[in-house]
Amino acid sequence: MSEIPTAAEVAAPHRYTAALAADIEARWQDFWDANGTYEAPNPSGDLAGDPEAVARPKKFIMDMFPYPSGAGLHVGHPLGYIATDVYARFHRMTGHNVLHTLGFDAFGLPAEQYAVQTGTHPRVSTEANIENMKAQLRRLGLGHDKRRSFATIDPDYYKWTQWIFLQIFNSWYDEEARKARPIAELVAQFESGERATPDGRPWGELSAVERADVLGEYRLAYASDAPVNWCPGLGTVLANEEVTSEGRSERGNFPVFKSKLRQWNMRITAYADRLLEDLDALDWPEAIKLQQRNWIGRSEGARVDFVIDGRPDARATVFTTRHDTLFGATYMVLAPEHPLVTADAADGGIVPAAWPEGTHADWTGGHTTPAEAVAAYRKEAAAKSDVERQADAKEKTGVFTGAYAVNPVSGEKIPVFVADYVLMGYGTGAIMAVPAHDDRDFAFARAFDLPMRCVVRPSDDRGTDPSTWADSFDSYDAEIINSSGPGVSLDGLRVPEAKTRMAQWLTEQGIGEATVNFRLRDWLFSRQRYWGEPFPIVYDEDGVAHALPESMLPLELPDVEDYAPRTFDPDDADTQPETPLSRNEEWVDVELDLGDGPKRYRRETNTMPNWAGSCWYELRYLDPHNTEQLVAPDAERYWMGPREGMPHGGVDLYVGGAEHAVLHLLYARFWSKVLFDLGHISSAEPFHKLYNQGMIQAYVYRDSRGIAVPAAETEESGGTYTYRGEKVSRTLGKMGKSLKNAVTPDEICAEYGADTLRLYEMAMGPLDVSRPWDTRAVVGQYRLLQRLWRNVVDENTGETTVVDTEADDATLRVLHKAIDGIGQDLANLRFNTAIAKVTELNNHVTKLREVPRSVAETTVLLIAPLAPHIAEELWRRLGHTDSVVHHAFPVADPKYLVDEAVTCVVQIKGKVRARLEVPPSITDAELERTALADPAVVAALGGAEVRKVIVRAPKLVNIVPA
């Protein structure tokens, strides 16, 4: 923007321009910082403050943690930040003690990848990014309590992340009490004999390794050898939630494979029921609740054990919701990752050395032995994503394991297959196949010439011979048939009764029971990266994990020369992780005294995932400088404790994108519940009200090669778009540097000012709806502020022009309706309609010959939450010495909210003959007399008698002549 003033600016030196806006905004931002304007007092501690302020009703308002990217902000990023700022400002003005601050989620892959590329330490680049982001956010006038800000990479912060991990590691879930308890209480039960060890030996006879293994089956944080999502291209494993529906890494879009590795896990599955139940009391969008419910995936059914024929020590356990159809199970299918097919025979594997006599040729996959067939098939399945494996492919694939299982209800031997449509991550990784009544089983049975048995009577005329069917049949409201065996018969029962009967029989026989299953898997908590929180865990010479004592926290992340994990060919599934920390031998191998004398230990060389720091950051905002506790109990109760309408407590308003529905939000809920169970906090839920803001989109312009070209350099003529003379396409999409369509807030602030940017982003549409960015439309809000300025300030002299006279009734009605409407809109996050009402009021004021001081002051206060800088400046110019930030929001006078008159339509024979201006409180009788006396009505009747008058006061009179 040119620094040379325009002719208009020279003619009107005190006009509201970008230059004047920049001066006003910088001055008031300095004022707010210097005076601690946005500092919210705690009830005690180093952030304690004015008792009167603490006694006010409180509001804790939060944005989702931002990641400090090196690219900085574009105008899409601040949408939620501005919204929460407006909401926070409104509540300060309505007498609340408002906590609103912002920290930085600074561990994670981008900084590490930048370090690998440039040799810059991740801390150096990340801290530089944070400072740049702070400057950009400050320019927007966001009212954050800066005393409470932090980054997850601060050792003073991740000390407590490590401490929480240790609380989880040192806890177990008591199913009877439905809560987490200290692991020491479980040990005491084993020691006293109250709880038996798995093999029945006394606790004192178990070795240290055996005790660790027993406790590992209970701990809420545990290490185990388990199937994981291995991403060779990133050199790390991923949680299920970090894998896309296409079976690729969420970050980087690399292929993801199933592999078996020893990793840390969080036993989030222990909380599955509570995570479901407590959703009901949360004020969240129903779509997000539904996603969480679906991800947790609760289903009621039965666990059934199928013994492997000839191997009484080996059994395949299935979970089924249709245990009423057990008599129809004619074969079994195991996931390629199932232990029964991955283990050698000596370790419990069921794959025999040779094919059983008479094995169907189509079952072998063309291999000479079952081991060869299973190994080849497993490798083939590992290259597919879960989505691909579950897709309804026309060709069903699988191989016979060479083993048979025994159907527990019929005693029949049934073949056991391996097929990729069964997933280890769902249920037990094994299914009983009932092909007559399941589409996928039906297709598989047809492909491999397997038997089918109808056990649910069809409701159509297809008959009961499945060999004649074109597809499977199922019904939950049908009669069970062909289901009688030794000790149990379901014939003649309806499905619900059959389920109950079968569950009872399974329990009596000790081969199964009614149970509940969840889709949710335990949270994979290890990453083979450098830039993350180190685990506060060391291993002794026997490989037993030991928690570091609190006095040794934080365990700081050491400097290393090579930040990169070892990555591999993205398509090479036969690879293993190698972590950067494992290459720092001095750090890994240490001598420590953990209370029983100095010993040699080996540190854990994985780091925590980037989600760890964001699982609890709302708590640190409450008491950010506490070196002795996670959070002071009175501060936590004050800001987040349970209260009326919020039985689980939590943050009053949490604003962020819907993309975190089953990642951050689920993880944070789990951590809160563990901390609540252990008595560290009073809030069992972290976020009471969740609001998902929409996305600011931008047009993407692409040339004939499909390459994005700079949006700012394209030209439009008659609906055709060109770049450097070449025709380009235009589509609406995300805004970003890579798409060459990013607009920075700095650009808009420089051209119009931050208040204009704030108003434009809030005025674009409803907050929860995505909307396209249009730089040309920004000027509309700029003009609103210019008109507001002119209503108070003389552009030539800079003097205020308001007068100390009373406003007329018409203006008072417009003013008080605006107060009422804007207040309701701000309280309900309807910022676009609030701005429309501000504009309507300001346009009315603009038409006044003189602006009464009371009207100008009220208008300034109404716009203050939305455009705080110009509001502060005008408030000061109007002679006030206090800040608008804590000034009371205007209150509407009810008498001005009622319309002075309404228009009543008078009809005769359905035709409008008159329009009357009448009081809104007029009675039916008064309105009838007024209408009949009106000259136009008298003339239209022409002396005719009136047979009937229908009155709907105050808006309608319908006259029916005789």
Side-chain angles (χ1 to χ4, degrees):
M1 185 173 179
S2 173
E3 295 184 1
I4 301 173
T6 65
E9 290 167 346
V10 171
H14 297 280
R15 172 171 291 177
Y16 184 81
T17 62
L20 180 58
D23 173 67
I24 290 171
E25 289 163 4
R27 280 193 288 106
W28 282 106
Q29 288 159 17
D30 290 342
F31 174 88
W32 294 329
D33 286 349
N35 290 275
T37 302
Y38 303 110
E39 294 178 358
N42 273 1
S44 65
D46 68 314
L47 300 184
D50 179 10
E52 184 180 328
V54 173
R56 297 172 186 160
K58 59 88 202 165
K59 284 286 181 183
F60 184 6
I61 299 164
M62 270 183 65
D63 300 279
M64 285 190 183
F65 235 178
Y67 185 85
S69 164
L73 298 176
H74 60 63
V75 292
H77 291 124
L79 177 66
Y81 306 151
I82 296 170
T84 54
D85 187 63
V86 173
Y87 190 74
R89 289 177 180 278
F90 170 72
H91 280 89
R92 287 192 193 95
M93 295 179 74
T94 54
H96 290 77
N97 183 19
V98 177
L99 193 167
H100 188 217
T101 190
L102 195 71
F104 300 91
D105 191 11
F107 275 126
L109 198 57
E112 185 177 277
Q113 289 178 321
Y114 184 76
V116 171
Q117 294 165 5
T118 64
T120 306
H121 193 287
R123 180 172 290 280
V124 173
S125 60
T126 301
E127 289 180 345
N129 294 343
I130 288 173
E131 290 308 308
N132 178 54
M133 191 169 177
K134 282 182 177 178
Q136 287 186 295
L137 294 171
R138 184 180 189 272
R139 193 170 184 181
L140 296 174
L142 302 179
H144 294 146
D145 185 343
K146 296 180 180 178
R147 305 170 304 165
R148 299 175 183 265
S149 185
F150 53 78
T152 54
I153 60 175
D154 300 339
D156 287 345
Y157 180 82
Y158 70 72
K159 165 189 175 178
W160 295 104
T161 307
Q162 293 171 336
W163 182 87
I164 296 172
F165 173 83
L166 292 180
Q167 305 311 301
I168 300 172
F169 173 72
N170 285 320
S171 300
W172 63 290
Y173 196 79
D174 185 338
E175 293 286 353
E176 292 183 7
R178 296 194 80 210
K179 63 180 291 188
R181 295 172 59 185
I183 201 76
E185 296 180 11
L186 180 65
V187 172
Q189 290 183 11
F190 282 125
E191 288 176 336
S192 68
E194 177 187 347
R195 184 182 293 266
T197 62
D199 63 4
R201 285 185 294 159
W203 184 254
E205 293 182 10
L206 271 59
S207 68
V209 173
E210 289 172 326
R211 291 179 184 179
D213 288 344
V214 170
L215 295 179
E217 295 298 314
Y218 289 87
R219 291 186 188 274
L220 289 177
Y222 65 96
S224 69
D225 294 311
V228 297
N229 300 307
W230 166 235
C231 181
L234 290 176
T236 189
V237 299
L238 302 172
N240 289 345
E241 295 86 351
E242 294 173 302
V243 181
T244 68
S245 59
E246 289 76 32
R248 304 179 76 85
S249 61
E250 186 181 50
R251 190 176 292 277
N253 197 37
F254 292 109
V256 175
F257 304 94
K258 291 293 183 184
S259 183
K260 197 168 187 178
L261 299 169
R262 189 162 186 81
Q263 302 289 314
W264 281 97
N265 296 273
M266 292 278 183
R267 207 179 299 275
I268 191 172
T269 49
Y271 283 83
D273 268 325
R274 284 172 60 186
L275 289 168
L276 272 176
E277 292 164 6
D278 291 353
L279 278 172
D280 293 337
L282 300 182
D283 186 4
W284 285 19
E286 283 303 317
I288 299 295
K289 288 186 179 183
L290 180 61
Q291 286 184 66
Q292 290 222 349
R293 290 188 181 107
N294 289 342
W295 191 262
I296 295 168
R298 186 182 193 277
S299 54
E300 295 183 6
R303 174 187 60 78
V304 187
D305 293 336
F306 285 70
V307 176
I308 303 302
D309 185 48
R311 291 283 304 276
D313 61 318
R315 60 185 56 202
T317 301
V318 304
F319 170 81
T320 176
T321 59
R322 293 303 306 271
H323 39 294
D324 56 300
T325 64
L326 257 168
F327 282 95
T330 57
Y331 65 97
M332 290 192 73
V333 182
L334 305 181
E337 305 85 7
H338 198 286
L340 290 179
V341 295
T342 60
D344 293 332
D347 296 323
I350 64 170
V351 180
W355 295 114
E357 186 177 347
T359 296
H360 199 302
D362 290 343
W363 295 6
T364 68
H367 296 278
T368 56
T369 67
E372 290 176 6
V374 170
Y377 188 80
R378 289 186 63 241
K379 188 168 185 177
E380 181 183 317
K384 295 182 181 179
S385 71
D386 285 359
V387 172
E388 289 173 319
R389 287 170 57 172
Q390 288 193 301
D392 290 328
K394 291 182 179 178
E395 184 181 352
K396 295 297 177 185
T397 65
V399 292
F400 179 39
T401 64
Y404 285 84
V406 177
N407 185 319
V409 295
S410 66
E412 177 185 9
K413 289 199 301 182
I414 59 176
V416 181
F417 280 76
V418 173
D420 59 13
Y421 76 90
V422 178
L423 304 178
M424 198 63 211
Y426 299 91
T428 63
I431 67 162
M432 61 174 209
V434 185
H437 307 295
D438 179 271
D439 288 340
R440 290 181 304 170
D441 295 346
F442 184 90
F444 191 89
R446 279 283 169 87
F448 289 91
D449 195 20
L450 289 160
M452 292 185 265
R453 181 177 300 114
C454 174
V455 293
V456 179
R457 187 179 301 281
S459 56
D460 51 25
D461 58 359
R462 67 175 64 198
T464 59
D465 180 4
S467 66
T468 65
W469 297 358
D471 54 19
S472 65
F473 161 81
D474 196 14
S475 173
Y476 283 84
D477 182 27
E479 177 190 349
I480 301 298
I481 58 175
N482 299 328
S483 295
S484 290
V488 63
S489 174
L490 306 181
D491 287 344
L493 298 177
R494 311 299 285 187
V495 169
E497 293 83 4
K499 285 185 175 184
T500 301
R501 177 71 189 95
M502 180 56 73
Q504 291 171 345
W505 185 82
L506 291 170
T507 303
E508 292 165 1
Q509 301 302 308
I511 56 174
E513 61 181 346
T515 187
V516 174
N517 194 53
F518 294 92
R519 180 178 181 268
L520 180 68
R521 300 293 94 189
D522 281 346
W523 173 16
L524 181 66
F525 201 69
S526 297
R527 296 296 181 273
Q528 291 68 49
R529 312 296 308 194
Y530 167 70
W531 195 231
E533 298 91 340
F535 282 92
I537 293 289
V538 292
Y539 300 91
D540 63 23
E541 59 184 7
D542 294 321
V544 174
H546 297 265
L548 291 181
E550 188 176 334
S551 60
M552 291 186 181
L553 303 182
L555 172 60
E556 294 199 31
L557 190 64
D559 288 338
V560 297
E561 292 183 3
D562 184 2
Y563 310 116
R566 185 180 177 192
T567 56
F568 304 88
D569 179 334
D571 295 309
D572 187 357
D574 296 326
T575 47
Q576 293 280 314
E578 179 186 296
T579 65
L581 289 181
S582 65
R583 300 192 283 265
N584 188 334
E585 293 183 9
E586 289 185 8
W587 185 83
V588 173
D589 296 311
V590 291
E591 184 177 278
L592 300 172
D593 185 349
L594 301 184
D596 53 356
K599 293 182 181 178
R600 299 297 299 180
Y601 295 95
R602 178 177 55 83
R603 295 194 192 279
E604 172 63 68
T605 60
N606 287 309
T607 54
M608 298 186 198
N610 60 301
W611 306 105
S614 60
C615 276
W616 72 280
Y617 70 119
E618 72 283 353
L619 297 171
R620 195 60 176 172
Y621 283 152
L622 309 181
D623 198 11
H625 312 131
N626 196 329
T627 59
E628 304 301 320
Q629 294 173 288
L630 178 75
V631 58
D634 63 340
E636 190 273 333
R637 281 194 304 272
Y638 175 79
W639 290 109
M640 291 186 62
R643 48 214 181 271
E644 186 177 354
M646 300 171 63
H648 304 303
V651 173
D652 293 280
L653 175 67
Y654 192 40
V655 174
E659 65 272 15
H660 295 302
V662 293
L663 284 161
H664 157 62
L665 289 172
L666 196 63
Y667 298 156
R669 295 183 64 215
F670 166 54
W671 277 35
S672 284
K673 292 187 183 305
V674 177
L675 291 171
F676 171 78
D677 287 355
L678 298 176
H680 298 301
I681 59 176
S682 67
S683 47
E685 287 284 344
F687 315 114
H688 173 70
K689 182 178 177 65
L690 174 69
Y691 192 97
N692 295 133
Q693 88 272 12
M695 180 188 298
I696 290 184
Q697 300 171 305
Y699 287 110
V700 183
Y701 299 87
R702 298 184 185 275
D703 61 20
S704 58
R705 301 167 299 166
I707 304 299
V709 301
E713 299 177 32
T714 59
E715 297 179 357
E716 188 266 338
S717 177
T720 300
Y721 302 93
T722 58
Y723 171 68
R724 295 182 178 176
E726 180 190 350
K727 187 176 179 181
V728 294
S729 64
R730 185 182 82 156
T731 56
L732 193 61
K734 288 185 177 181
M735 182 179 287
K737 190 176 180 180
S738 63
L739 296 174
K740 300 180 182 179
N741 63 352
V743 179
T744 70
D746 305 46
E747 296 172 53
I748 304 302
C749 289
E751 190 166 355
Y752 298 106
D755 280 339
T756 295
L757 173 61
R758 291 170 60 101
L759 282 174
Y760 176 64
E761 294 216 0
M762 294 298 96
M764 292 172 74
L767 182 59
D768 58 348
V769 174
S770 294
R771 72 292 302 271
W773 176 269
D774 183 358
T775 299
R776 294 169 299 178
V778 177
V779 71
Q781 302 308 317
Y782 183 52
R783 289 172 181 155
L784 165 62
L785 295 180
Q786 287 182 317
R787 287 193 294 272
L788 173 68
W789 183 264
R790 283 196 299 270
N791 284 338
V792 179
V793 177
D794 187 297
E795 291 183 333
N796 296 306
T797 66
E799 299 296 321
T800 57
T801 57
V802 297
V803 295
D804 294 317
T805 59
E806 293 296 319
D808 60 77
D809 272 5
T811 297
L812 288 173
R813 291 186 183 283
V814 172
L815 180 65
H816 285 273
K817 284 185 177 181
I819 293 170
D820 182 60
I822 293 168
Q824 291 186 47
D825 287 344
L826 294 179
N828 291 286
L829 303 168
R830 297 192 298 261
F831 303 127
N832 59 319
T833 54
I835 292 171
K837 292 178 175 70
V838 168
T839 303
E840 184 180 349
L841 169 63
N842 197 54
N843 288 343
H844 177 89
V845 175
T846 300
K847 296 172 186 175
L848 298 177
R849 188 172 61 84
E850 293 179 317
V851 178
R853 175 179 294 276
S854 60
V855 174
E857 290 178 344
T858 302
T859 305
V860 167
L861 292 173
L862 290 175
I863 205 171
L866 295 151
H869 306 92
I870 193 173
E872 289 276 31
E873 183 70 13
L874 292 175
W875 190 247
R876 186 59 57 94
R877 286 177 180 249
L878 286 166
H880 299 280
T881 57
D882 63 326
S883 165
V884 294
V885 171
H886 294 288
H887 194 91
F889 195 79
V891 177
D893 187 335
K895 73 179 181 182
Y896 292 112
L897 301 182
V898 179
D899 288 331
E900 193 171 26
V902 296
T903 300
C904 174
V905 173
V906 182
Q907 296 179 332
I908 300 176
K909 290 185 178 181
K911 292 185 178 181
V912 177
R913 297 298 186 179
R915 285 185 170 84
L916 312 176
E917 294 299 311
V918 299
S921 58
I922 194 169
T923 66
D924 286 358
E926 290 173 329
L927 185 55
E928 180 178 340
R929 286 195 297 271
T930 302
L932 291 173
D934 183 80
V937 172
V938 172
L941 286 171
E945 293 293 323
V946 175
R947 181 165 62 88
K948 188 176 183 181
V949 179
I950 303 168
V951 181
R952 297 287 184 269
K955 294 187 175 181
L956 177 68
V957 175
N958 192 5
I959 300 171
V960 182

